[in-house]
Structure formats: C-alpha cells, structure tokens
Amino acid sequence: MLIFTPIVVFAQQVDDDHALVIMVNIERIRAQLLLADQSLTAGDSEMAFAHAFIPHTTTFPSIKSQLKEIDEKSATQLEALLTDLPVNIRSADQPVDTLRQDIAQIESLLDGISAKLGPLASDKAMTSQNVVFLLKDAVQSYKLSDGGSGRVNYENSMGLVNVAEIKYKTIAHSLAASRSAEINSFFTGLKSSIEQKAESDSVKRFTDAIERDLAEDLSLSAGSESAGVNAKYFSNIRTLLTNVMTEVKSGNYKQAEQHAITAYVDNFEYLETPIEKYDPELKGTLEIDMRENLRGMINDEKPSQAIEEYVNGILGKLEKAEELLANDTSFSQPSPPAGFADIKGLAAGFGTYTGERKDIGQADDPAKAAVRNGIDEIRIKLDETLRLYKEGKAEGALLTSRSAYLDSYENVEIPLRPIDPDFTLDMEIKFAELRNLMQYGAPFAQVEAKVIEIRRGLDESERLVSGTGIVAPTIAFSTSFSIIFREGLESALIVGAILTYLEASRNERFKKHVYYGIVIAFAATAVTWFVAQFIISISGASRALIEAIAGVSAVAVLFWVSFWILNKVETKRWIEFVKAKVWKATTTGSVTVFVMLSFFTVYREGFETVLFYQAIISFAEYMEWYVVAGLVAGLAVISGITFAVRKLGRKLPLRVLFGLTMGVGAYMSIAFIGNAVREFQEVGYIQTTHLIDTVPRLDINTAAMTGIHPTLETIVAQLVLLCVYLVGSLYVLFIQPRRNRAIESARKSRADLAKKEAKDVQ
C-alpha cells in the first residue's frame, strides 16, 4: 500500500492552472510585503499601511479557500497575520522591528505553503509563467499610476518587477547564457523605464520581450499579439532605423532611442530564433549591434555621421540575414510563439480594491440574509469574549474575538466593501484594536468600550448592506405622521375651542393674544430642538446611552399622555375641560393669561414633539427624509382639519380620534421601550439573553422602527408595557365608566328615595 504525504497528495490533485493562480498570488503578496517593509524602513507609515492592506483585502481572499485545502492551519495563521499587519502599522503601537518580524513570519508561511505545491513550485515552465504574469501586473499597475502620479500603483509596478526578477533568477541558470544575458538587460531597461516614468508602451515593450524570451519554457498555449511574418519584421526594422537617423539629425536623441528600442524589442526579437538556425554568429552580432552598441551611441549622443555609418552596417547584416531566411517556410507563414492563457481567477487577486462601487442596499437577498446571520453570530461571540476576559481567561477571549472576525465578519465584508470600503476598513481596525487590547492586558472597561464600538458598527454594517427597503420607511413615515398629527391635533382642538368660546362669549378682543402665544410657542419649540441637540453633543455620553435615555423619556411621556387622553374621551367631558380653562382666563380679563394659556397649550405639545422626534430620528437612520415627509404630511392634514372645523363648522368624532391617537401612542411606546432596552444592552447596563432562533429576526431598519429585537429582555419589556396598556385601557374605557355609572345610579336612587320619604312625611 502506498502512503502519500499531504504535499504529494495535493500536488497530484491540483492542476496547473490552479497551482499557477496560487503561485502568482503568493508572489503578489510577497511584493506588497517587500514594499511595506521598504516603506517602514523609510519611515513612511502611510505607504506601509497602503501596501500591507492590499494582501488582506484583495489578494489573500482570492485564494483563501485553495490555501485552506493545502494547509488549513498555515492558511488560518496567514490570514490572521495579514489582517493584523496593516492595523498594527496604522495604530503605530508597535516598533518597526516588531512589524518587520511580522512581515518575516508571513513570508515564512508563504514559503511553507509554496513548498506544499510539490514539484510544481520549482517547475521551470510554471516559474516562467509566474514571472510573466507578475510583469503583466506591473504593466497594469504602471498604467493605473497615470505616469507615476498615483504613488501606490507606481510603487506596486516596481515592486512587482523586483519580485518577478527574483523569481526569474531561480531558473536563470537553466537558460542559455546569451538568452539569460538578454533577459537581464531587459529587466534593467524595464526598471530604468519605470524609474524615469516613461510612457507605458515603453514599459510594455520590455515585459513583452521578456515574455518572448521565456516563451519556449511556457506550458500553456496562447497567441501573442506581436507574432507575424518574418518579412514584416525586416521591413519594420528598416523603417525604424531610418527614423532613428531622422531623429538624430534633428537632434532628438531621446526619440531616436525609442525607435531603436522598438526595432530590437518588438521586431528583431522575433527573428533571432530563425536567424540562429542558419548563422548563430550573425544572430549574435546583430543582437549586440542593435541592443547595446547602437543604443549606446545614441545615449552618448555621438555625431549623426558616425551613427549613420553604424546603422548602414546593421542594414547590410540584415540583408544577409534576410537572404538566409528567403527559403524558410516561416518567412512567408505566420509563426505564433507560445504564450500565456488567460487563467481564470488571476484577475481577482490583482492590485488595490477596484471593484464595482454600489449604493446602500445594492446586495442580493441571499447576501443580506448571510450578513444578518453573520452579525448575529458575531454578537454572541462578542458577549462570550467579554465574559471570558472578565473571568481572566484572556487567551480564550482572544481566540473568540479572532473567530468573530475571521469566521463571521469577513463574510459580511464581501457585500459591504463595494458599498463603503472606508467603513469596512474602519471596522477591520476596530476588531484588530480589540485583539490588541486583550493581548496587552488592558482593563476590562477598555475592552468593553471597544466591543460597544464594534456593536454599533455591526448595526451600521447591516444598514449599509440591507438598505432601507419598503417596510421600514413606511413605518418611519407613518410614525412621524402620527406624532405630529397626535400632538398637533390636540393643540389645534384646544386652541380652536378657545377661539370658538371667545367668539361665542363676545370676547374676540382676546383672540390676537391667543395668536401671540401660539407664535411664541412655535419659536420656543424650535429653540428647544436646538438646545436638545447641543446638550446631546456636549454631554460626553455615548450615542447608545443617549438614545436609550431619549427612548425611556419618550415612553414615560407617551404613557402619561395616552391615559390623560383616555380620560378625555367622552366628548362632553372634553368640552367641559376646555370651557373651564377659557372661563377661568376670561374672568381675570388679563391678556397675559390668554398669551400664557395658548403658549402652554401649544408648547407642551411642542416639547413632547421634540422629545418624540429626537427618539425617532435616532432610530430611523437613512430614513430621515421619510420622517420629514411624515411631518409635512401631518401638518398639512392638521391644517385641513383646522380649516374644516373653524370655517366650515364641521364636527370631529373626538372619541374616535382620541382613541386612535391613544393606540398610536401605545404602539410608539412599545417600539421605543424595545429600542431603549436594546441600547442599554449595547452599553452593558442590561444583560443580553439572545433569542435568535426563537424570535423572528427582522432586518435592522424594521427592527429599529418596531423595537422588536431577538433578546429576552427587549421582548419582556415590550410585553409588560403592552399588558399595562391593555389593562389600563380596559379600566379607563370599561371598568371605570361602569363603576361611575353604578355610583351615579346609586346616588340617583338615594336622591329619589330621599324625595319619596320627604313626600311621605308631608
């Protein structure tokens, strides 16, 4: 029985294409590590971060699953190190030597994983392909740098060339000396072109030349755009050498050199093999003449006459070579050299994140569901992290927090990054900061504060991926409409009743003072809004705590107002209430009383409105315009009702309206209490007992507008408040009226009995 090691088993299972994808991406990572190390040495932490961030966000994810098939343990370690490296660079908490040690550890892991590819890792053809793909990356990065102005891409191009050259040198000994020398000269010219920030076409000429020289070692077949008929190349060379002389005579030596390079790199290179077949010495002479001597004369700006004589000598040798190839079949037939196939999957690991940008909510439904599930798992793991750390089990807490990121949040990042890459980076940094705090033995309070930040970020992550949808904005609009309608209606009815009573009692002289009070109340309400915003901004309290306090305050006011309204449901009692207020004001005859009466009538509702809108705005993120639309619609309806009552003499079904507003108030109270309890849980003031598999998991926006969250504490709070409303409503609407009727009936019976007794006495 044969027993294979894991290395051999994988090497047998993987095909060349998949192996090449892994090899190229490993070298891409290595290039960025090299650049990050150079930036750290130069003291440029920003560029070090930029280069260290690319492997984590772009390159490693493209081969993560494949690496785990090779060596899951090493792949997991590699992922963790690549995740932490950019964050540690950005935080500047670690010395440069420590960061460089981390880079060395990553490179060691890369070497170990490469070794497990078996013979493929050192195969000459595979290495040649690896080199060429890295050079293609370099050209693409150079083009993206826009002539070197984009610093990250510019440095990427040079880094990729350097890594490609290092990789090439591992097989250089197996090439013919002349070919090896030629490739070395091309690498020199390539780096020189990048350093001088030459045109991208000049850079590409050198990479194409290296590809052609390595073509005989390639194992994949693909056409090369530069292939053609030998006769065409001879013609091109003559034309280009003529152009060389024209530019030299004009004193434009730089352009002359470009023509000389094109003549050699893009044309003579294709003729080398067929010429060598008939006359190796002639091929070698022409190669030296065109590649080195002619360019050397141009660079030294030799006199035009000397250069012309040298060019004529080259042309004579070309005629001899052309005669040798006159009867060669390749002279008149296309001869495509070997090339590279477009390996599927290689593009995924290239460069910085340049994927499609998306708007909020532009993710498919499965991705949204996966994000919700992932965030639920992260919340549970964060709670477990805090528990373990509080118990002194720092190692277990660290492993749990790492799992929260690597096993869960990385899946959230996939749909999140195209929507907001900057926020995605911010969350990655927060997770890394949490791990660093625990590694350094920070106090529990600091670790807990960082977890609270991450929890807030999880909500934002879900909002960005899920979008607002339809249900949540509808609830936001209707809730906003209900708030302003409820508060505005009450004010309008009281003020309307005041004005009507003044007209009926012929005290119209006081009406303008009522209007003064209304205007002052509106101004005071606006001031209250801005004062509330200012106090919140300078309070220093966390946003979650502020939202929790605002929610509880709103619940308390809604609860009191709802039952106050219930006690005024009977139309007769409501009218009596208003008349009592107005009669008291008219008896004093003081205009101040009317101003204050209308002011407090409107401002009380305005103050409540500010409180309620502060609460709803805090929960309706990305739905603010729906809240504004509800406010405007509510004001419009109230204006219409006021006009109908005042001008058209319409009567309102007060019992129905007050019952409806009480129901709306109860709904808002229950939603606010659910959100308030959750915010207290977020800041650690209330314990969290997850009911993820028991309570329906709504998307974050719908949950915020209904207050329904999958935790025991929020559900219990909502159920208790609902029961209080039901019992209170039952008492106020049914039990209390029945009792009052019974008392009134008893009093009437006693009165009737007393009358009868008095009559009998008479």
Side-chain angles (χ1 to χ4, degrees):
M1 181 177 66
L2 294 176
I3 300 177
F4 296 100
T5 65
I7 296 176
V8 176
V9 170
F10 182 81
Q12 289 181 340
Q13 291 177 345
V14 72
D15 58 32
D16 285 1
D17 284 3
H18 286 115
L20 183 59
V21 169
I22 294 171
M23 291 168 64
V24 171
N25 280 293
I26 283 176
E27 296 309 316
R28 285 169 170 169
I29 294 173
R30 206 184 298 276
Q32 297 303 326
L33 294 176
L34 175 65
L35 292 168
D37 187 83
Q38 291 174 351
S39 297
L40 287 171
T41 303
D44 191 344
S45 60
E46 282 300 315
M47 290 304 295
F49 168 80
H51 291 300
F53 191 60
I54 291 171
H56 160 57
T57 57
T58 305
T59 314
F60 180 82
S62 70
I63 54 171
K64 177 179 176 179
S65 59
Q66 293 164 291
L67 294 186
K68 286 195 171 183
E69 290 178 11
I70 301 174
D71 186 342
E72 184 171 2
K73 182 179 179 181
S74 295
T76 301
Q77 290 178 332
L78 178 61
E79 182 178 20
L81 288 169
L82 288 174
T83 299
D84 291 344
L85 179 61
V87 177
N88 291 336
I89 293 173
R90 172 64 64 86
S91 65
D93 291 335
Q94 297 185 6
V96 172
D97 289 342
T98 301
L99 295 172
R100 298 185 72 181
Q101 289 174 7
D102 291 342
I103 291 174
Q105 186 178 356
I106 294 172
E107 290 178 336
S108 177
L109 284 170
L110 293 175
D111 291 338
I113 293 173
S114 295
K116 293 193 175 184
L117 288 171
L120 290 174
S122 56
D123 180 76
K124 181 179 179 181
M126 292 292 285
T127 301
S128 296
Q129 295 176 79
N130 198 346
V131 169
V132 173
F133 274 114
L134 291 172
L135 293 177
K136 289 178 182 291
D137 282 357
V139 172
Q140 190 174 349
S141 293
Y142 189 75
K143 289 179 179 178
L144 291 172
S145 75
D146 193 20
S149 59
R151 189 177 171 192
V152 174
N153 281 310
Y154 177 72
E155 291 188 3
N156 283 349
S157 63
M158 184 60 81
L160 288 162
V161 168
N162 288 332
V163 170
E165 186 176 23
I166 292 171
K167 200 69 182 172
Y168 157 71
K169 287 181 178 178
T170 63
I171 60 168
H173 64 278
S174 64
L175 276 68
S178 60
R179 186 175 298 279
S180 178
E182 186 174 60
I183 292 177
N184 287 334
S185 71
F186 289 151
F187 269 111
T188 301
L190 174 59
K191 289 188 284 187
S192 176
S193 294
I194 294 175
E195 288 173 354
Q196 295 173 12
K197 299 183 179 179
E199 294 294 327
S200 58
D201 288 343
S202 298
V203 173
K204 190 174 185 300
R205 285 195 194 101
F206 286 109
T207 61
D208 287 346
I210 295 171
E211 178 181 354
R212 286 194 295 270
D213 270 355
L214 292 173
E216 64 184 35
D217 300 306
L218 303 182
S219 62
L220 301 174
S221 62
S224 175
E225 294 179 1
S226 57
V229 181
N230 290 341
K232 181 182 71 175
Y233 296 128
F234 281 111
S235 176
N236 289 345
I237 292 171
R238 291 190 182 94
T239 300
L240 289 165
L241 291 179
T242 300
N243 292 340
V244 167
M245 289 311 308
T246 301
E247 298 296 342
V248 167
K249 290 177 180 179
S250 300
N252 191 353
Y253 283 88
K254 185 174 182 180
Q255 186 59 46
E257 183 185 16
Q258 292 302 313
H259 289 311
I261 291 173
T262 303
Y264 176 73
V265 172
D266 291 343
N267 293 275
F268 185 75
E269 273 284 290
Y270 291 106
L271 299 173
E272 285 184 337
T273 300
I275 293 174
E276 188 175 25
K277 176 181 176 182
Y278 294 99
D279 192 336
E281 184 178 350
L282 177 61
K283 173 259 180 185
T285 302
L286 278 169
E287 182 179 6
I288 297 299
D289 286 349
M290 295 181 66
R291 188 185 75 202
E292 298 181 10
N293 297 341
L294 177 59
R295 289 181 60 200
M297 294 178 71
I298 295 172
N299 285 329
D300 294 339
E301 297 188 1
K302 296 291 185 180
S304 60
Q305 184 177 356
I307 293 177
E308 185 174 14
E309 290 177 359
Y310 199 82
V311 166
N312 288 334
I314 293 174
L315 291 172
K317 295 170 186 175
L318 282 173
E319 287 181 7
K320 183 179 179 181
E322 192 170 6
E323 290 174 0
L324 291 173
L325 300 182
N327 297 321
D328 193 289
T329 56
S330 64
F331 183 73
S332 57
Q333 299 295 328
S335 178
F340 288 100
D342 184 12
I343 305 298
K344 184 178 180 181
L346 272 176
F350 168 74
T352 57
Y353 180 79
T354 56
E356 178 187 4
R357 290 291 190 267
K358 296 182 179 180
D359 292 329
I360 294 175
Q362 281 192 332
D364 54 32
D365 290 338
K368 293 177 181 179
V371 166
R372 286 196 295 271
N373 293 335
I375 286 175
D376 289 341
E377 292 174 2
I378 294 169
R379 286 186 172 278
I380 294 173
K381 289 177 181 178
L382 289 176
D383 291 345
E384 180 68 7
T385 296
L386 288 178
R387 184 188 67 79
L388 291 171
Y389 196 77
K390 192 173 185 179
E391 293 175 356
K393 301 175 182 178
E395 186 65 27
L398 182 61
L399 291 174
T400 304
S401 68
R402 191 178 294 280
S403 174
Y405 175 75
L406 295 179
D407 298 335
S408 299
Y409 194 76
E410 279 214 332
N411 297 323
V412 176
E413 288 180 343
I414 295 172
L416 177 62
R417 195 179 302 281
I419 296 172
D420 194 336
D422 292 335
F423 176 77
T424 306
L425 169 60
D426 186 56
M427 284 298 293
E428 291 169 342
I429 291 174
K430 282 182 169 59
F431 273 104
E433 288 172 343
L434 173 63
R435 295 192 295 272
N436 289 341
L437 285 172
M438 291 187 290
Q439 285 177 324
Y440 298 150
F444 177 78
Q446 291 185 20
V447 174
E448 185 180 35
K450 186 57 63 177
V451 168
I452 291 171
E453 285 185 37
I454 293 174
R455 285 171 178 162
R456 300 293 301 182
L458 293 176
D459 284 349
E460 182 68 5
S461 299
E462 186 176 348
R463 287 190 187 96
L464 291 171
V465 174
S466 298
T468 56
I470 298 175
V471 176
T474 302
I475 297 175
F477 174 86
S478 59
T479 303
S480 174
F481 176 89
S482 300
I483 289 174
I484 195 64
F485 179 78
R486 166 201 175 97
E487 302 301 325
L489 177 63
E490 188 174 340
S491 296
L493 288 174
I494 295 177
V495 172
I498 293 172
L499 295 174
T500 300
Y501 185 82
L502 290 176
E503 292 170 355
S505 61
R506 297 182 180 180
N507 287 305
E508 294 185 354
R509 65 185 184 279
F510 294 117
K511 287 173 63 176
K512 63 179 180 180
H513 301 100
V514 174
Y515 293 133
Y516 292 158
I518 294 173
V519 172
I520 297 172
F522 275 117
T525 300
V527 171
T528 302
W529 174 270
F530 290 110
V531 169
Q533 292 288 90
F534 176 73
I535 292 174
I536 290 172
S537 66
I538 66 172
S539 66
S542 69
R543 177 179 172 183
L545 184 58
I546 291 171
E547 291 179 0
I549 294 172
V552 170
S553 302
V555 169
V557 173
L558 279 167
F559 185 80
W560 179 81
V561 171
S562 294
F563 284 102
W564 181 86
I565 286 179
L566 274 178
N567 279 301
K568 302 294 179 291
V569 165
E570 295 294 339
T571 305
K572 182 178 178 181
R573 296 177 63 185
W574 170 254
I575 294 174
E576 289 174 353
F577 171 80
V578 174
K579 284 183 176 180
K581 291 285 186 181
V582 178
W583 178 83
K584 186 176 180 180
T586 55
T587 55
T588 63
S590 172
V591 295
T592 305
V593 174
F594 284 98
V595 173
M596 297 305 294
L597 177 61
S598 60
F599 170 79
F600 282 114
T601 296
V602 176
Y603 180 68
R604 189 194 69 172
E605 309 303 331
F607 181 83
E608 293 173 2
T609 301
V610 168
L611 179 61
F612 299 152
Y613 272 97
Q614 287 286 350
I616 190 175
I617 285 291
S618 67
F619 300 127
E621 291 193 50
Y622 300 108
M623 295 179 284
E624 292 84 356
W625 283 111
Y626 292 97
V627 175
V628 173
L631 171 66
V632 173
L635 289 173
V637 172
I638 291 170
S639 299
I641 290 176
T642 303
F643 176 80
V645 172
R646 294 280 300 143
K647 300 298 183 182
L648 303 180
R650 303 289 184 181
K651 291 185 177 181
L652 295 177
L654 294 182
R655 182 181 181 86
V656 174
L657 286 175
F658 285 140
L660 180 62
T661 57
M662 182 270 173
V664 171
Y667 161 75
M668 290 192 296
S669 295
I670 293 170
F672 286 161
I673 195 64
N675 287 329
V677 171
R678 183 176 186 268
E679 296 302 333
F680 279 126
Q681 290 176 321
E682 293 288 273
V683 295
Y685 285 16
I686 296 178
Q687 181 181 348
T688 301
T689 305
H690 295 284
L691 298 176
I692 293 172
D693 296 327
T694 305
V695 176
R697 172 64 159 88
L698 305 178
D699 72 81
I700 185 66
N701 294 305
T702 304
M705 298 314 302
T706 59
I708 299 175
H709 303 280
T711 71
L712 177 64
E713 292 75 15
T714 56
I715 296 299
V716 168
Q718 289 184 308
L719 289 176
V720 168
L721 186 57
L722 176 61
C723 290
V724 170
Y725 268 107
L726 291 175
V727 172
S729 300
L730 180 65
Y731 175 79
V732 173
L733 293 175
F734 299 101
I735 297 176
Q736 188 182 54
R738 183 178 298 176
R739 180 180 296 176
N740 290 339
R741 285 195 297 270
I743 293 172
E744 187 176 348
S745 177
R747 287 175 179 172
K748 184 177 180 182
S749 297
R750 284 197 298 270
D752 291 342
L753 181 60
K755 288 181 181 179
K756 184 178 180 182
E757 290 177 352
K759 187 176 181 180
D760 291 341
V761 170
Q762 291 177 356

